[in-house]
């Protein structure tokens, strides 16, 4: 989605753009080199998270070895570790923060020979030194950004968690989250100020996806969709007024303290059938440690209301948070079982560089692995705790999945949820993944 937004603003500025998804399109190194040779780009942009930044640097080497293009890189990791990233000789530019305005100005500079020092949000090298330009302001009017250029994807080889219908497409309707969670880097990229698209603009995009791509389901990937209650009501009213018939889901996680019965009812009325909550822990002490700013009582109330309204419910928990031990992890498993969501995920914390929890662990000498490629969400732990080793955390994750899913009532409920062929395919894959976690 990030690349698709960047492509959209470049097209809007009359640049010719080609989109490449190496994974989805199964592009080999030889294929990529041929694309460079055939198209001879002036500028190649790469997006990177912490676990993909090493591969991104390798791609930049291929670009430099096989073309005369400039290279730029953006995303969460380059934004937070920009000096480290731009120090690579094959990276020309780092785009810091939200990149839509910065990239367009950079492309114009390259095309017209402009002054790079005037491009806000840009980091580059000059005469052997790193130049860090003035910060770019956050984009306030999100309606001014065109819809993501999904027409540039060569195919739509993407799957969406537990989607009921096919095809499913993603949208992002807001940026920023007012939360202070110490394990999250969202605020370091999009800020804590909640900025949002208008109801009309959002429903325009949903209709566009339905009419042009046959979308039957749309997933909303905001960091916290319900931050503004008024906006939720406006989106509901716009969808009903236009008689848009499409299933909606919110799989990225809502905050329990930003929902009530009225908001949840509005979500249901607009067509949302599944929601997720970031619960994180079943221990109030641990929630306080990571500045979650909510309570277990509020969590339970949100689940009870959501079940009353009739949602399918996902719950996300994190094992290995600061202060976790065997007792608090057991509390988390017990709490998850008592909430009894339809789907639960027990992830082991990844303390991403730039987050407050990373700095906390560095200060306590608890980071055990600094290889960025090992910072994927499904890789081994890269940290330990005072009373729990990396292996201990892995074992507790297995126990958590076994104790939650290997119950007769839960096995039956999982089977009864398989009411579409698309969901059957996705759940077989997800089920095998969980079995691997539990068994090996």
């Amino acid at each position: 989605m990030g690349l698709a937004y960047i492509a959209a603003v470049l097209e809007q500025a009359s640049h010719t753009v080609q989109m490449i998804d190496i994974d989805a399109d199964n592009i080999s190194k030889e294929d990529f080199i041929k694309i460079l040779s055939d198209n001879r780009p002036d500028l190649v942009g790469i997006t990177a998270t912490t676990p993909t930044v090493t591969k991104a640097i390798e791609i930049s080497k291929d670009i430099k070895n096989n073309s005369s293009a400039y290279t730029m890189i953006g995303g969460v990791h380059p934004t937070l570790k920009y000096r480290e990233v731009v120090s690579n000789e094959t990276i020309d530019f780092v785009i810091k923060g939200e990149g839509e305005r910065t990239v367009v100005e950079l492309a114009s500079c390259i095309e017209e020979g402009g002054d790079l020092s005037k491009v806000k949000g840009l980091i580059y090298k000059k005469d052997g030194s790193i130049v860090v330009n003035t910060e770019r302001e956050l984009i306030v009017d999100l309606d001014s950004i065109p819809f993501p250029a999904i027409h540039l994807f060569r195919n739509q080889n993407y799957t969406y968690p537990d989607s009921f219908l096919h095809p499913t497409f993603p949208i992002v309707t807001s940026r920023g989250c007012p939360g202070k969670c110490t394990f999250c880097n969202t605020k370091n990229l999009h800020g804590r100020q909640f900025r949002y698209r208008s109801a009309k603009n959002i429903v325009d995009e949903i209709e566009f996806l339905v009419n042009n791509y046959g979308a039957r389901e749309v997933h909303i990937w905001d960091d916290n969709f319900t931050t503004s209650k008024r906006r939720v009501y406006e989106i509901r009213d716009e969808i009903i007024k236009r008689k848009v018939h499409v299933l909606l889901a919110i799989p990225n996680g809502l905050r329990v303290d930003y929902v009530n019965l009225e908001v949840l009812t509005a979500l249901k009325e607009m067509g949302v059938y599944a929601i997720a909550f970031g619960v994180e822990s079943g221990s109030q002490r641990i929630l306080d440690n990571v500045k979650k700013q909510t309570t277990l009582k509020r969590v339970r109330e949100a689940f009870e209301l959501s079940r009353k309204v009739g949602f399918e419910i996902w719950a996300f928990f994190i094992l290995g948070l600061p202060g976790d031990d065997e007792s608090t992890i057991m509390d988390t498993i017990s709490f998850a079982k008592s909430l009894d969501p339809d789907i639960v995920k027990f992830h082991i914390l990844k303390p991403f560089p730039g987050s407050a929890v990373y700095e906390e662990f560095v200060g306590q000498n608890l980071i055990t692995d600094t290889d960025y490629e090992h910072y994927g969400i499904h890789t081994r732990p890269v940290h330990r705790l005072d009373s729990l080793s990396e292996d201990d955390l892995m074992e507790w994750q297995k126990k958590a999945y076994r104790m939650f899913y290997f119950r007769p009532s839960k096995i039956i409920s999982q089977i009864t949820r398989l009411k579409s062929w698309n969901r059957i395919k996705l759940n077989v894959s997800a089920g095998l993944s969980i079995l691997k976690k539990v068994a090996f």
Side-chain angles (χ1 to χ4, degrees):
M1 290 292 283
L3 283 180
Y5 272 116
I6 296 297
V9 295
L10 286 169
E11 282 196 325
Q12 187 181 60
S14 300
H15 297 288
T16 301
V17 184
Q18 180 173 357
M19 187 90 74
I20 300 170
D21 189 322
I22 286 174
D23 293 328
D25 298 333
N26 196 27
I27 294 174
S28 66
K29 181 175 180 176
E30 292 72 26
D31 293 335
F32 180 59
I33 291 172
K34 187 175 187 305
I35 291 172
L36 292 172
S37 175
D38 291 345
N39 291 275
R40 295 187 296 172
D42 299 307
L43 178 65
V44 180
I46 312 166
T47 187
T49 58
T50 298
T52 65
V53 70
T54 301
K55 288 290 192 296
I57 300 301
E58 290 177 9
I59 290 171
S60 74
K61 294 176 182 177
D62 292 333
I63 296 166
K64 285 299 185 182
N65 290 335
N66 295 279
S67 78
S68 59
Y70 290 102
T71 58
M72 64 176 176
I73 187 169
V76 178
H77 188 93
T79 289
L80 299 178
K81 306 292 286 186
Y82 55 86
R83 288 186 179 275
E84 174 186 288
V85 174
V86 82
S87 295
N88 290 274
E89 61 180 1
T90 53
I91 296 294
D92 294 310
F93 307 109
V94 167
I95 309 300
K96 189 172 186 289
E98 295 179 344
E100 286 88 356
R101 304 289 182 251
T102 303
V103 165
V104 171
E105 289 182 19
L106 172 61
S108 295
C109 269
I110 291 173
E111 189 174 51
E112 301 166 6
D115 184 356
L116 291 175
S117 68
K118 295 182 179 179
V119 181
K120 293 182 179 180
L122 186 68
I123 293 97
Y124 59 101
K125 297 181 287 285
K126 183 178 180 180
D127 299 328
S129 298
I130 295 173
V131 179
V132 181
N133 287 355
T134 303
E135 291 269 338
R136 169 76 57 177
E137 302 86 354
L138 295 172
I139 300 171
V140 176
D141 182 11
L142 297 184
D143 282 6
S144 67
I145 304 174
F147 298 157
I150 62 174
H151 62 279
L152 293 179
F153 288 113
R154 293 169 61 179
N155 56 57
Q156 294 294 332
N157 290 342
Y158 302 95
T159 58
Y160 298 89
D162 211 39
S163 60
F164 197 77
L165 298 176
H166 179 80
T168 298
F169 288 87
I171 63 170
V172 177
T173 76
S174 65
R175 295 180 181 180
C177 178
K180 297 180 180 180
C181 305
T182 62
F183 53 83
C184 182
N185 266 335
T186 290
K187 58 183 174 294
N188 295 326
L189 181 66
H190 293 304
R192 293 186 60 211
Q193 176 188 354
F194 183 70
R195 295 160 292 130
Y196 52 88
R197 297 164 56 189
S198 67
K200 177 183 181 303
N201 185 259
I202 293 163
V203 182
D204 282 348
E205 184 177 0
I206 293 174
E207 281 195 320
F208 173 79
L209 293 172
V210 171
N211 295 333
N212 292 276
Y213 292 92
R216 300 172 68 196
E217 184 167 331
V218 172
H219 285 193
I220 300 168
W221 284 94
D222 294 31
D223 287 301
N224 192 13
F225 179 72
T226 57
T227 298
S228 167
K229 296 180 177 64
R230 176 180 58 81
R231 189 183 77 119
V232 172
Y233 305 145
E234 290 173 352
I235 296 170
R236 173 203 57 193
D237 294 344
E238 191 73 15
I239 287 175
I240 292 174
K241 181 179 74 174
R242 298 199 205 179
K243 298 180 180 179
V244 178
H245 299 293
V246 64
L247 284 181
L248 299 172
I250 308 176
N252 200 34
L254 300 173
R255 285 184 62 98
V256 298
D257 49 343
Y258 280 84
V259 298
N260 56 26
L261 182 59
E262 291 74 25
V263 168
L264 291 168
T265 301
L267 293 178
K268 191 71 173 180
E269 291 170 344
M270 75 169 67
V272 175
Y273 76 95
I275 58 177
F277 289 108
V279 182
E280 323 313 357
S281 177
S283 163
Q284 188 62 54
R285 175 172 64 83
I286 301 303
L287 291 180
D288 295 341
N289 282 352
V290 298
K291 299 183 180 180
K292 186 66 181 179
Q293 298 180 296
T294 191
T295 65
L296 297 178
K297 180 176 181 291
R298 187 69 189 89
V299 172
R300 196 174 295 282
E301 290 171 351
F303 273 72
E304 290 172 353
L305 288 174
S306 299
R307 190 165 285 111
K308 178 180 178 180
V309 173
F311 290 112
E312 291 186 1
I313 308 172
W314 284 51
F316 299 121
F317 293 91
I318 303 176
L319 309 180
L321 289 166
D324 251 340
D325 53 30
E326 290 188 356
S327 174
T328 59
I329 291 180
M330 193 64 233
D331 288 342
T332 294
I333 298 170
S334 298
F335 191 57
K337 289 170 64 179
S338 70
L339 294 173
D340 200 32
D342 296 281
I343 298 290
V344 70
K345 293 284 188 179
F346 295 103
H347 292 303
I348 296 175
L349 172 70
K350 279 300 185 296
F352 292 115
S355 66
V357 75
Y358 180 85
E359 298 304 324
E360 179 182 348
F361 282 171
V362 167
Q364 297 172 2
N365 198 31
L366 296 177
I367 298 294
T368 59
D369 189 340
T370 56
D371 184 337
Y372 289 147
E373 290 194 78
H374 297 164
Y375 279 65
I377 195 167
H378 298 299
T379 57
R380 274 183 58 81
V382 297
H383 77 291
R384 62 178 178 84
L385 297 172
D386 288 336
S387 62
L388 295 170
S389 68
E390 300 96 313
D391 288 340
D392 291 334
L393 290 172
M394 293 287 288
E395 285 301 314
W396 273 106
Q397 184 185 46
K398 292 178 183 180
K399 290 179 185 177
Y401 277 117
R402 283 198 297 263
M403 293 175 70
F404 184 85
Y405 282 109
F406 288 10
R407 296 175 290 157
S409 61
K410 185 52 63 177
I411 292 172
I412 292 170
S413 69
Q414 291 301 300
I415 294 172
T416 58
R417 294 179 65 254
L418 304 179
K419 298 176 182 178
S420 73
W421 176 240
N422 192 62
R423 179 167 280 184
I424 289 172
K425 291 187 294 184
L426 291 173
N427 276 267
V428 167
S429 175
L432 290 173
S433 175
I434 289 175
L435 284 174
K436 287 180 181 178
K437 285 184 181 296
V438 171
F440 302 103

